[in-house]
Amino acid sequence: MSQTILIADDEPNIVISLEYLLKREGFNVLVARDGQEALDTIVREQPHLVLLDVMMPKKTGLEVCQSVRANPLCAKVLILMLTAKGRDTDLSKGLALGANAYMIKPFSTKELVQKVKTLLETGA
């Protein structure tokens, strides 16, 4: 059974390219275009990994991350934060809220796929 990844990002070009890339790698892919949809999808579908943009409408990625970590039913969901913000405070805040890893936009697709595979293999 292939693993499921949720792409939570409000930028259509990023969603399209990540969806194509991850499907090509053999993953099942779900998409959410705002923070509330992301949170609802995580609770309902329990994906293995979430690619979570920090800046989204309705709920930020940081708010989604915090809500997911507060829900015991979602304890096994891995979170990879994606952000254009590279400031140390944003990185440490996301990790403190329970993100498993961070990638700063723009990122190489090769790096992203490697990070996704590593997270799924190690579970952290």
Side-chain angles (χ1 to χ4, degrees):
M1 185 172 113
S2 59
Q3 293 169 308
T4 300
I5 296 176
L6 170 64
I7 301 167
D9 200 307
D10 62 326
E11 176 57 48
N13 292 334
I14 290 174
V15 171
I16 289 167
S17 64
L18 290 178
E19 185 176 16
Y20 171 77
L21 178 72
L22 294 169
K23 282 183 176 179
R24 193 180 71 198
E25 292 290 326
F27 296 106
N28 291 325
V29 178
L30 305 170
V31 173
R33 290 177 174 78
D34 65 59
Q36 187 60 56
E37 185 182 0
L39 187 56
D40 295 343
T41 304
I42 292 165
V43 171
R44 184 180 64 250
E45 300 291 336
Q46 299 284 309
H48 296 91
L49 173 71
V50 180
L51 300 180
L52 185 60
D53 185 28
V54 171
M55 301 300 292
M56 287 189 296
K58 297 189 182 176
K59 282 187 181 287
T60 69
L62 296 172
E63 291 170 324
V64 172
C65 184
Q66 188 172 26
S67 296
V68 168
R69 290 300 177 235
N71 184 339
L73 299 174
C74 300
K76 292 183 179 179
V77 175
L78 298 169
I79 298 174
L80 174 56
M81 301 290 289
L82 304 175
T83 183
K85 293 183 174 181
R87 297 189 325 234
D88 290 341
T89 53
D90 292 323
L91 296 174
S92 49
K93 188 170 185 181
L95 294 171
L97 289 173
N100 299 89
Y102 237 99
M103 288 202 71
I104 298 169
K105 296 175 186 177
F107 45 78
S108 86
T109 54
K110 186 177 178 181
E111 276 181 50
L112 179 73
V113 169
Q114 189 54 52
K115 180 79 91 173
V116 164
K117 288 180 177 178
T118 300
L119 279 170
L120 289 170
E121 286 168 8
T122 62

